[in-house]
Amino acid sequence: MKFEEIIVNYLGLIFQLLAIIVITSGIVKAFIIFVKDALLKKDSKEAIEESRLEIGHSFSLGLAILIGSSILKTTVAPSWNDIGQLAAIIGIRTLLNYFLRKDIKGGDEK
């Protein structure tokens, strides 16, 4: 394995770990927001909406980081199979991110 491939593989793993941290922290924060709001405000609908927005933001950022990681890993000696898999991954993640952002914007307007 070439030096560039080793560096790119390590960077890809670091970015994947960063995405896991972002998504996990968003889940924990959303849960804390929900519990706090549900206990103090007595309006579970508002608590759910606020926690959904929080988790949506973290999922969106996490997906963006994962897309960048996938692109980075494919830059070093890609095969046509790797490029096809990358296109599918980016397409799915971009579609998920689009609908997450749309849902977040809908929640922000309320």
Side-chain angles (χ1 to χ4, degrees):
M1 194 181 278
K2 295 180 184 178
F3 179 72
E4 299 89 23
E5 292 174 352
I6 294 171
I7 296 297
V8 167
N9 283 335
Y10 278 118
L11 285 174
L13 291 173
I14 289 169
F15 292 145
Q16 288 176 346
L17 179 62
L18 180 61
I20 290 169
I21 291 169
V22 166
I23 291 169
T24 303
S25 65
I27 291 169
V28 170
K29 189 174 178 185
F31 181 73
I32 291 169
I33 289 170
F34 172 75
V35 170
K36 184 179 74 170
D37 286 355
L39 292 176
L40 298 178
K41 292 183 181 177
K42 307 275 187 193
D43 185 9
S44 62
K45 183 178 179 183
E46 185 179 327
I48 290 170
E49 187 64 31
E50 190 176 343
S51 61
R52 281 183 67 229
L53 287 173
E54 182 62 41
I55 205 166
H57 286 293
S58 66
F59 282 178
S60 181
L61 178 58
L63 283 170
I65 293 169
L66 288 172
I67 288 171
S69 173
S70 296
I71 291 170
L72 183 65
K73 284 184 174 182
T74 307
T75 58
V76 179
S79 67
W80 283 108
N81 188 36
D82 293 337
I83 293 171
Q85 287 177 350
L86 176 64
I89 289 169
I90 289 175
I92 292 167
R93 289 180 179 166
T94 302
L95 193 62
L96 285 171
N97 201 18
Y98 169 77
F99 286 112
L100 273 170
R101 298 299 299 167
K102 189 174 179 180
D103 193 39
I104 289 169
K105 284 183 182 179
D108 284 341
E109 292 172 359
K110 293 179 183 177

